[in-house]
Amino acid sequence: MKKSITIGHLYPDLLNLYGDRGNIQCMMKRCQWRGIEARTIEYNLDDTIDFSELDIVLLGGGSDREQMLVCRKLQEIQKDFKAYVEDYGVVIAVCGGYQLLGNYYQTDQGRMEGLHLVDLYTEQQPGRLIDNIVLQSDLCEMPVVGFENHGGRTKIGGNKPFGKVLYGSGNDGESGYEGVVYKNVIGTYLHGPLLPKNPQICDYLIGKALERKYKEKISLEPLEDLEEEEANTYITKRFL
Amino acid sequence: MFAVCTAKLTKKACQIAGKQGVTLAGKIALRLDPSILTALAGQVREKVFVTCGTNGKTTTNNLLCSAIEAEGKKVVCNHTGSNMLNGVVSAFVLAAKWNGKLDADYACIEIDEASTVRVFPYFQPDYMILTNLFRDQLDRYGEIDTTMNLLKKAMEMAPAMQVVANGDDALSAYLAQEGGKDPVFFGIGDPYFKEESSREIREGRFCKRCGERLHYHFYHYSQLGDYECPGCGFRRPELTFNAKDIQCGGKLSFTVDNLRISANYRGFYNIYNILAAYAGARTAGLSLKNYNQVLAAYNPQNGRMEAFQVGDTEIILNLAKNPAGFNQNISAVMEDTRKKDIIVLINDNSQDGTDISWLWDVDFDRFRDESIASVTVSGIRCQDMRLRLKYVDIASDLEPDVEKAIRGKIADGVGNLYVLVNYTALYNTHNILKKIEGEKK
């Protein structure tokens, strides 16, 4: 039987700041190139989300103002979202979406309540951390490359980071680590967007989603990744 | 006077050295005489215009300048698009005589939105033309909200300034109504496109006044269209300058004020530029009865749809630096239904924005068309561009060196070449094309 995957894109009308469409496109294409059916459901602020039909959830980044609008809405779906995460549902949360995973985001405008999906918090500090960034992650062999642009400093406590910073600032500019991995959730500041230049991370998410859905060991058919690898290598060579 | 002379010499020296030197001249002049900008701007006999907005500043401002000149007036203008404080200083200094006197009736100055608050302490314009607000270089300018806050502050610094704004853009209209004195609006009243791209990135879908989701009766492109807030009643303002009976494709024409305007330009977005300049000049009381002649004579030499001819190959160079601009560029390219080759050049120098994630917000899938004979990617981030195209099933050739890419397509292309570049590549690519054009003559 042909396998299929459903991606839920949360609030793309508000959280779409840094080419998040590229992450969706990447997941869709890498499924389709392997003969896996893929579809994306876009949820706007007024839509009801049925997490039971989703295999991957993407929560992108927005401006502070728009993030505030989303944050109120998220409280309504917190319970369902939490249950999905605890049941090993796959989530990729980028920039603002990453901050919203945590307990709160303290800005100079006030405090945004988070989703409490992962035990972490973010506090705004003067100066934005803006640059290209390179990580070494346990989730893949290739270095992870991207771009970060955030005023918030995220503290992940005892959680596992997404990667070790080889170039750039990462979670808080001090710890030497970037992002978070909790069950099948990845939270990260990396856009660029993240997945096209880091195809192994994309395949990791697809693999986890298929294993959860079909309850079997999945080994994804390898793809020809020349363009992905060269774009990735360009950044690593330039900054390391 | 000493400052004026030194600045003029600096510009000359830079030109001899093969550099533009415009902003450096301004920097030196302001360092030598901090009051120079106030003094020179104060010598303008009639009105001072500034042009702001994410896209279309340079074209609008240069058209405005040409239109006013056609009325027999003398105009100061920063033609090259150097639009931060030093560039603005340069425009005035380089227009002044060696004795420090400025002979000008009008000034038409384009200003980078974020620089308005740095320029307005020196002079307060009579009019601001606000073209549109789109996301642009987030790593440099931050979110649109930040840009809007700066423009609002700038408008407060110039309380007598009248804002002439794009009424089809909810963000510009909101700003003009909040901050400007007796705002005037231009726009395209009726829908033109039968279908609209639902995937396009749109800014400001939520009412800036009350936070409700705006309801759109239709979109022209990006977020430009006819909108209305169900919450607070904020809506597209009445358009004093309303472009009607639009024709687009190959050349543009429309009617405003019972005047039929025609121009041999491509690109729907150029209607806004032509209309914005018209609205600005008319608001200031100019007649603009020769506007069609102005448009016919206007030949952009600055990489905005600039045409070159090399042997049998027609080449168009165009600047594309953010998603809204790029999408409009693609529309303009696709209006030409002949076979064509495309070169896309992406750099990530600081003036381009070092973050190139916006490439994924551009609807490049529209290049998947029979009329596109080839796509070549070039520039510092050519690999990223090639990867971007891969994910919309478009194969491209990689050639980091743009001169080689251009020469290659002149040699083996279909004779119709579009070169789309972002900011820091513009000047250099322009010079390369000029050079190649010269060789073949």
Side-chain angles (χ1 to χ4, degrees), chain A residues 21 29 42 197 228 230, chain B residues 199 384 386 391 393:
Chain A
R21 290 200 310 184
K29 281 286 176 197
E42 291 189 354
K197 263 180 296 195
E228 289 80 351
E230 286 194 3
Chain B
R199 298 285 303 149
D384 282 83
R386 181 175 61 167
Y391 279 85
D393 301 308

Side-chain angles (χ1 to χ4, degrees), chain A residues 13-14 16-19 21-22 25-26 29-30 33 42 44-46 63-65 130 132 147 149 191-193 196-197 224 227-228 230-231 234-235 238, chain B residues 135 138-139 143 145 199-202 204-208 211 213 348 354-357 360-363 380-381 383-384 386-388 390-393 398:
Chain A
D13 53 341
L14 284 161
N16 65 4
L17 209 49
Y18 297 111
R21 290 200 310 184
Q25 233 159 347
C26 186
K29 281 286 176 197
R30 296 185 72 80
W33 286 334
E42 291 189 354
N44 287 334
L45 217 48
D46 319 317
S63 70
D64 285 350
R65 196 180 87 94
I130 306 175
N132 288 283
F147 197 93
N149 180 353
H191 60 265
K197 263 180 296 195
E224 190 273 303
E227 291 86 350
E228 289 80 351
E230 286 194 3
Y234 169 74
I235 293 296
R238 176 165 154 189
Chain B
R135 66 179 55 185
L138 295 164
D139 56 306
E143 296 150 1
D145 292 344
R199 298 285 303 149
E200 224 184 318
I201 289 286
R202 307 187 195 281
R205 300 194 194 197
F206 291 78
C207 179
K208 288 285 165 191
R213 182 193 295 272
D348 68 349
T354 51
D355 180 2
I356 48 130
S357 60
W360 294 80
D361 289 333
V362 179
D363 300 327
I380 300 172
R381 297 302 286 264
Q383 277 103 344
D384 282 83
R386 181 175 61 167
L387 184 60
R388 170 70 187 93
K390 178 178 179 178
Y391 279 85
V392 283
D393 301 308
L398 186 91

